[in-house]
Amino acid sequence: MFHACIFTNGLCQNTFISSKLLTCYQKFGFSVDSRWVFDGIIKSNIFLWNSILVGCFRSSKYGEVLRLYLKLKQKRIGLDGSAITFTLKSCVELGSLGFGKGVHLDVFKFGLSKNQFVGSSLIGLYSRYGDMLAYKAFEFACSMQKEGVDPNRVTMVSLLQAAAELEALEHGGTIHGYAIRRGIDCLDEIFETSLMDMYIKCKVPTMAACIFGRMKMKTIGSWNAMITGYINMGKPLEALGHFCYELDLVSTTALVDMYSMCNDLVRARQLFKVIETRDVILYNVMMSGYLQNGFATDSIDIFIEMVCIGLKPNLGSILNVLSALLELNNVRGGRSVHGYILRHEFLFDRIQYKDLVSWTSMMMGYICHGHPDEAIILFQKMKSEGLDYDSVTLTSLLQASSKLGYLSLAKEVHCHSNLFEHTTRRCLTSWNTMISAYGMHGKCKEALLLFDRMKNEMIKPDDTTFTSILTACSHSGMVEEGLQVFYCMRKEYGIIPCEAHYGCIVDLLSRAGRLEEAYKLLKLVPARQSASALAALLAACRIHGNTELGEIIGNWILDLEPENPSVYNLVSNLYAESGKWDDSARTRNMAKMRGLKKAAGYSLIELNPRVSTM
């Protein structure tokens, strides 16, 4: 409105009014309007040029600043400190050192070398570009002082940046001393942060920490300077200590979970130790992290620590420790936890609000302990309560139906899985369910194609995905494909193989008769993760008649599982089939002396549509 009044009253050529209008447009960020005003008024006024240069700089139009600067020189209007300063600053932002050197020549031509702001801008320019030019910044600062121009705060910040780049501790210390004499060392957070950065890069972290400790207002920049500095010096623990200084329990728990998921247990454990006040959730996350990375023993140790300090475990804690004990085949420990569950009313039927994890864990427990029929009943009850299921639930159900020979149930699960192609938004659970279904039905090629589609659609697989794919490859005899999938787990996705994965790959190699290769692989596997895979390899040695390797494997398993009657039976049968009757009898006697009895075998068949035992 005011611009319209100026225009209608013929005041557009009034320099004073136009300059005010130009400044107004610049402050509101209307660069196009300000340029239009500028083009329509008398252009011989250096103050108007400065106004448009400042406006362009503040709008981040650094290239336009340089263009206007050249045009200003062509007009022969003259240059002042403001035009030079903002042009040099634009050169810094654009990385235009050559243009900046040309501006430096103009400084001498127009007698502006004593201008404090111009000098600071030149030092800022040279401090950014390599060793030789950084030293030139110091030379220029000395020249300024000789001519009676005292460096200001901007000048000293630029010089500190140059000292940091050059790791010139002596120069940096001189600037610090000058600042102390001038009384500005603790009044400006930008200057203090630059001081910290200089001392850190000059390998004097104690001075940086001293300055940091005296800062009244610590900004994000100052925190970042300390943390980055310690990391660059190879001191991650000190950096972590500063980072955790202001973290609350929720933030720490989230970070521990993140590092665990990224297979970086070292940092997860460091964070866990740093925080003094821990709750059950943090302990559960740490336990889960150890489990995910194959350290079941450490997971149990964390549980014991939690109980010892007086924290009451919740359902998540119980599920974690039971999973760890199951992985280690620690029956005695499992009984202890069972007793704790009874004393503290953690039984499944007593849980008021059961989530999917509770139902699925109970199903898996039934299956692992030889009660697949109870797992199916539990699944039906879960459905009747309206709870949705995931791939783990369906996989457990398929395992139960397989153990029972329950074909109709397997078909029902397959129908659930076929809904996949009609799902518009597919989560990881959907992908895993479909891959598992293909694997159960021996369609390995389809499972692998689905895995490729996952990668194309940027869906990151998890350990369940790889278990299903490796199982499918094993059942279909696709050895090379299975090995390729196994090796890409850690290399491409950072997933550490667990006992199930090793079992699958050993079964894959064993079925193909590549027993020595499977044996070499198992020698690299942690002992706590090799029991089931060793049993599969021992059975393969018996099938392929490799008695020599079978004896080695048998003794290995007996050391790991001296209370497992099935192992003695496998080793005894191996000796018998190779004609070593004395060894076979000795192995059976060992089992009898320990009071071990193998469970009687039976077959299951589905009849109308009930399952009968034979």
Side-chain angles (χ1 to χ4, degrees), residues 160-452:
L160 285 173
Q161 291 172 349
E165 291 299 320
L166 296 168
E167 297 184 10
L169 178 60
E170 185 177 350
H171 288 74
T174 302
I175 298 164
H176 191 185
Y178 180 85
I180 292 173
R181 292 195 300 275
R182 292 282 302 275
I184 62 171
D185 63 312
C186 58
L187 299 177
D188 188 284
E189 61 187 40
I190 296 176
F191 180 74
E192 287 179 313
T193 302
S194 300
L195 261 180
M196 289 166 50
D197 183 61
M198 182 274 294
Y199 279 120
I200 287 170
K201 288 181 178 175
C202 291
K203 309 294 189 296
V204 190
T206 50
M207 281 297 296
C210 182
I211 295 167
F212 183 73
R214 289 191 292 109
M215 289 180 70
K216 294 180 180 179
M217 293 291 293
K218 295 178 175 66
T219 61
I220 292 295
S222 60
W223 282 103
N224 288 345
M226 284 301 298
I227 293 168
T228 305
Y230 277 121
I231 290 173
N232 290 338
M233 287 187 294
K235 296 184 176 181
L237 286 176
E238 287 83 349
L240 190 64
H242 277 82
F243 182 59
C244 296
Y245 193 80
E246 295 292 324
L247 283 178
D248 59 12
L249 183 60
V250 176
S251 303
T252 304
T253 303
L255 282 170
V256 170
D257 185 47
M258 182 271 291
Y259 279 125
S260 299
M261 295 292 286
C262 295
N263 305 317
D264 194 344
L265 277 180
V266 174
R267 285 191 174 88
R269 181 65 180 174
Q270 287 170 349
L271 272 170
F272 181 79
K273 285 182 176 180
V274 164
I275 193 159
E276 295 181 1
T277 306
R278 304 170 190 146
D279 63 359
V280 177
I281 304 300
L282 179 57
Y283 272 98
N284 287 352
V285 168
M286 194 69 242
M287 288 173 65
S288 179
Y290 277 127
L291 271 173
Q292 290 168 4
N293 290 274
F295 294 93
T297 302
D298 296 282
S299 182
I300 294 170
D301 291 341
I302 288 290
F303 177 80
I304 294 171
E305 178 185 319
M306 178 178 66
V307 174
C308 288
I309 65 172
L311 282 177
K312 184 179 179 181
N314 61 12
L315 180 62
S317 315
I318 298 297
L319 291 175
N320 277 330
V321 74
L322 285 175
S323 298
L325 291 166
L326 179 64
E327 187 172 327
L328 295 171
N329 293 318
N330 189 335
V331 179
R332 185 178 179 182
R335 288 170 180 165
S336 299
V337 176
H338 190 189
Y340 184 91
I341 291 170
L342 291 173
R343 290 194 304 273
H344 294 84
E345 297 186 350
F346 270 110
L347 288 176
F348 180 77
D349 290 334
R350 296 178 185 174
I351 300 172
Q352 187 174 2
Y353 300 104
K354 304 180 183 73
D355 59 6
L356 182 60
V357 176
S358 307
W359 288 97
T360 305
S361 299
M362 198 64 197
M363 286 177 62
M364 292 173 67
Y366 276 133
I367 294 167
C368 290
H369 289 85
H371 299 286
D373 51 336
E374 295 289 343
I376 293 172
I377 293 170
L378 203 63
F379 175 74
Q380 292 169 343
K381 187 176 179 181
M382 185 185 80
K383 281 206 307 179
S384 68
E385 294 193 11
L387 195 68
D388 201 4
Y389 48 82
D390 63 3
S391 63
V392 181
T393 316
L394 287 180
T395 302
S396 301
L397 199 60
L398 285 169
Q399 291 174 348
S401 64
S402 175
K403 288 179 180 293
L404 290 169
Y406 208 161
L407 181 60
S408 60
L409 179 62
K411 289 180 178 179
E412 183 182 344
V413 176
H414 194 190
C415 290
H416 283 295
S417 303
N418 280 337
L419 295 173
F420 175 79
E421 295 297 340
H422 303 287
T423 306
T424 54
R425 297 182 62 187
R426 305 182 188 114
C427 61
L428 179 59
T429 298
S430 305
W431 290 93
N432 285 349
T433 303
M434 198 61 203
I435 289 173
S436 177
Y438 276 134
M440 287 286 183
H441 288 78
K443 297 184 177 181
C444 183
K445 290 184 179 179
E446 287 83 351
L448 289 170
L449 287 173
L450 210 57
F451 181 60
D452 290 335

Side-chain angles (χ1 to χ4, degrees), residues 8-309:
T8 54
N9 286 281
L11 298 173
C12 293
Q13 297 301 313
N14 186 298
T15 303
F16 177 76
I17 294 175
S18 297
S19 64
K20 292 295 183 183
L21 181 62
L22 186 63
T23 303
C24 184
Y25 273 131
Q26 292 288 359
K27 285 184 177 179
F28 284 110
F30 297 149
S31 56
V32 176
D33 300 274
S34 64
R35 184 61 189 274
W36 184 81
V37 173
F38 178 75
D39 290 337
I41 61 179
I42 298 171
K43 301 175 184 176
S44 60
N45 190 311
I46 185 63
F47 298 106
L48 294 179
W49 280 90
N50 286 344
S51 182
I52 195 72
L53 283 169
V54 171
C56 288
F57 179 82
R58 288 174 177 169
S59 302
S60 302
K61 297 181 178 179
Y62 309 119
E64 182 69 7
V65 173
L66 303 191
R67 191 188 69 79
L68 286 169
Y69 179 80
L70 292 174
K71 195 171 183 180
L72 177 60
K73 287 178 62 178
Q74 291 172 359
K75 296 283 185 181
R76 299 183 180 277
I77 297 171
L79 295 171
D80 66 358
S82 180
I84 293 286
T85 297
F86 284 98
T87 302
L88 286 171
K89 288 183 176 180
S90 297
C91 289
V92 172
E93 296 294 336
L94 293 170
S96 300
L97 178 61
F99 198 104
K101 287 182 176 179
V103 176
H104 192 177
L105 292 175
D106 293 335
V107 169
F108 289 112
K109 287 180 185 178
F110 288 88
L112 296 170
S113 57
K114 292 185 179 181
N115 185 296
Q116 191 179 45
F117 296 103
V118 170
S120 298
S121 299
L122 279 169
I123 290 171
L125 174 72
Y126 288 128
S127 66
R128 299 287 184 93
Y129 297 99
D131 292 359
M132 295 301 295
L133 291 175
Y135 277 118
K136 191 170 183 178
F138 289 111
E139 293 173 6
F140 195 79
C142 292
S143 300
M144 286 176 63
Q145 281 192 297
K146 287 177 182 178
E147 294 184 13
V149 181
D150 290 329
N152 59 11
R153 191 265 301 176
V154 177
T155 309
M156 289 191 288
V157 168
S158 298
L159 290 172
L160 285 173
Q161 291 172 349
E165 291 299 320
L166 296 168
E167 297 184 10
L169 178 60
E170 185 177 350
H171 288 74
T174 302
I175 298 164
H176 191 185
Y178 180 85
I180 292 173
R181 292 195 300 275
R182 292 282 302 275
I184 62 171
D185 63 312
C186 58
L187 299 177
D188 188 284
E189 61 187 40
I190 296 176
F191 180 74
E192 287 179 313
T193 302
S194 300
L195 261 180
M196 289 166 50
D197 183 61
M198 182 274 294
Y199 279 120
I200 287 170
K201 288 181 178 175
C202 291
K203 309 294 189 296
V204 190
T206 50
M207 281 297 296
C210 182
I211 295 167
F212 183 73
R214 289 191 292 109
M215 289 180 70
K216 294 180 180 179
M217 293 291 293
K218 295 178 175 66
T219 61
I220 292 295
S222 60
W223 282 103
N224 288 345
M226 284 301 298
I227 293 168
T228 305
Y230 277 121
I231 290 173
N232 290 338
M233 287 187 294
K235 296 184 176 181
L237 286 176
E238 287 83 349
L240 190 64
H242 277 82
F243 182 59
C244 296
Y245 193 80
E246 295 292 324
L247 283 178
D248 59 12
L249 183 60
V250 176
S251 303
T252 304
T253 303
L255 282 170
V256 170
D257 185 47
M258 182 271 291
Y259 279 125
S260 299
M261 295 292 286
C262 295
N263 305 317
D264 194 344
L265 277 180
V266 174
R267 285 191 174 88
R269 181 65 180 174
Q270 287 170 349
L271 272 170
F272 181 79
K273 285 182 176 180
V274 164
I275 193 159
E276 295 181 1
T277 306
R278 304 170 190 146
D279 63 359
V280 177
I281 304 300
L282 179 57
Y283 272 98
N284 287 352
V285 168
M286 194 69 242
M287 288 173 65
S288 179
Y290 277 127
L291 271 173
Q292 290 168 4
N293 290 274
F295 294 93
T297 302
D298 296 282
S299 182
I300 294 170
D301 291 341
I302 288 290
F303 177 80
I304 294 171
E305 178 185 319
M306 178 178 66
V307 174
C308 288
I309 65 172

Side-chain angles (χ1 to χ4, degrees), residues 553-600:
I553 301 298
N555 291 324
W556 189 355
I557 302 176
L558 288 174
D559 289 337
L560 288 175
E561 295 186 323
E563 303 298 323
N564 188 340
S566 298
V567 176
Y568 291 91
N569 190 59
L570 279 171
V571 175
S572 176
N573 289 340
L574 179 76
Y575 282 132
E577 290 185 9
S578 60
K580 296 183 177 181
W581 301 107
D582 291 340
D583 291 325
S584 176
R586 176 177 54 81
T587 305
R588 290 186 180 275
N589 287 331
M590 286 171 60
K592 288 180 181 178
M593 290 174 63
R594 290 176 177 269
L596 303 176
K597 292 182 180 180
K598 186 177 180 296

Side-chain angles (χ1 to χ4, degrees), residues 455-470:
K455 290 192 285 187
N456 293 334
E457 296 189 25
M458 306 300 288
I459 304 294
K460 186 179 179 181
D462 61 3
D463 51 357
T464 304
T465 315
F466 283 103
T467 301
S468 299
I469 294 174
L470 291 173

